[in-house]
Amino acid sequence: MTIPDVAPLLDGEPLHDQVVFQTRLQRYWPDLITGLTGAYPDQAPEMARRLAMIAAENFRQRPADLRLLDLRRHADPQWFQHQQMLGYATYADRFGGTLRGVAEKVDYLSELGVTYLHLMPLLRPRPGQNDGGYAVMDYRAVREDLGTVDDLRDLATTLRGRGISLTLDLVLNHVAYEHEWAVQARSGDSYYRRYFHMFADRELPDAYERSLPEVFPDFAPGSFTYDEESHSWVWTTFNTWQWDLNWHNPDVLYEFADLICWLANLGVECLRLDAIAFLYKRMGTACQNQPEVHAITQALRAVARIAAPALIFKAEAIVGPSDLAPYLGVGKHAGKVSDVAYQNSLMVQIWSVLAAKDTRLFCTAMNRFPAKPVSTVWGTYLRCHDDIGWAIDDGDAAAVELNGFEHRRFLSEFYAGLFPMSDARGLVFQENLETGDRRISGTAASLIGIESALNGGDDAHLDLAVRRLLLAYRLVLGFGGLPLLYMGDELALRNDYGFADDPTHADDNRWVHRPEMPWDVAERRHQPGTLEHRVWHGLRHAITVRAALPSLHASVEAEIIDPVNPAVLVLLRRSATQTMVGVYNVTPEVQSLPRWVVPLGNWAWDALTEETPLGDGPLRVEPYQVRWFVQEA
Ligand code: GLC
């Protein structure tokens, strides 16, 4: 398949830029073709031609400063893998009021060491209930109360000037019921009807539903909604007012390819591919993680690499361990799909070790991940804006003599505070009576015991709970990857029970862990003796130490050492210049480890405490203590 001639489209551009564009087109053409062939076998050549045109048209619109950024990223393609990278996720309104308000808070982010900012959905959502902005009615406009498209461009520029890359959500599985495409489809326009999955009767929906799991069993049971206006059953995986797009239709892909480039041209540097697992539907399956999802991602990424290579993709695929690795690419897609993916299993396993005070399941589960492509990164995190679903694999559980179902039940009871002696204060989200699944909402501080320790006025309890939070975050920072902090965790913000006062949030308790930033409380980070001071500085210290350790570069794979003392997790990271052994005591008791477990010389030093060398005796680890032993190569 020959590369189309895009020269006329670039006419008038600086000669150098034309050459650069053509070079990238040649470089990524094979990725584009093979991606398209994987999802649209009969239409790939024509689609590739169309997409090359879309890339060229958008490159033409790309401002000079962003073309320069493209070159800087070419000069340092590992830019998002450096150990100095630190992510932060927040809602623009809850953090800064408006987009301009966010720009005024950049000092706070820099003080923490943030280099990547994920602002939760801010493209214009439907009015009223909108799933926290994940029901977009206009992708080319900003939510009115937050500002304008110009404000968004200005914010991206300000952030970039401060070394912070802006990440936005790209909701590609569904649009709001009010989106123009859906309006047209409802009115009977056959072109736009093909943008959605619409059925005249229940025959096909019933057939699909036989193998479809429920995503929101509580507030939106089933996956199809009857639409009176068009007399059809419409595919709605999430809420009834979120209409799933039909990615079998190439026109949908063109729309998003163009949108991706448009967002990149505003200065967005990373797109979080929301609910990407659900994109492609296939009868008789769960309609998640289908091979075409990866083929489509590869095609979209090729377009972005050609038009705006400074842009990276982050996959939001909150799926079981066996389905996760393909989002960074395995086999023919290796390194050609998303650059970053949420390490959902790691997140679940951290909460599991803390509840069980035992690392054996963690080791088994994390050891099964195939090596990721070296150019990609796990997004490591403890909390995000969503609930926690207990993605514990039955096989992993069985390997350490646990029953998967029982362990999941234990975790949900523990974190809902229902298990005897549990000090967690989570809320149950979307209980599924059929499968027994109970997901959990709550802030990190409330789940980890800080809320109940404060309520009980018990200092010793609070001390342990704070250690636990710092341990959890050191694991997020020390595992290797792009750590993603969720707003408020740096100040140990507790659950916001006021969420129910807002009628558009009342039925969705995920808002309990999406508080507004209390800027007066944030000030206490400068007051020694306060909880906020202790947590902020504990975290900040680990962030600073991490930034200086080459063994924490995200291209390095974490090796999990077999648990000798199941109370202590031992992670080995070997880079060309430095070896690091992270030691994490996940219990409130002092633990000891035989010296041979740490494969480093006696002079290896603890980068966190800068304390005396490792020595040759057994290793003592204090309650919830973390040690990062390093040795230069
Ligand atoms: C993603 C978002 C979640 C939202 C869902 C549907 O999983 O993180 O908040 O409810 O997509 O858009």
Side-chain angles (χ1 to χ4, degrees), residues 105-117:
K105 300 292 184 196
V106 174
D107 285 343
Y108 178 84
L109 298 173
S110 294
E111 189 184 328
L112 193 57
V114 171
T115 62
Y116 159 115
L117 178 65

Side-chain angles (χ1 to χ4, degrees), residues 127-142:
Q129 280 192 322
N130 56 38
D131 189 20
Y134 286 102
V136 182
M137 67 178 279
D138 186 352
Y139 289 88
R140 308 256 178 179
V142 167

Side-chain angles (χ1 to χ4, degrees), residues 131 134 171 174 216 238 242 272 274-275 316 385-386 510 514:
D131 189 20
Y134 286 102
V171 187
H174 44 264
F216 289 152
F238 293 87
Q242 286 166 305
R272 173 187 179 277
D274 179 67
E316 190 250 349
H385 71 289
D386 278 328
R510 290 177 296 176
R514 301 167 176 176

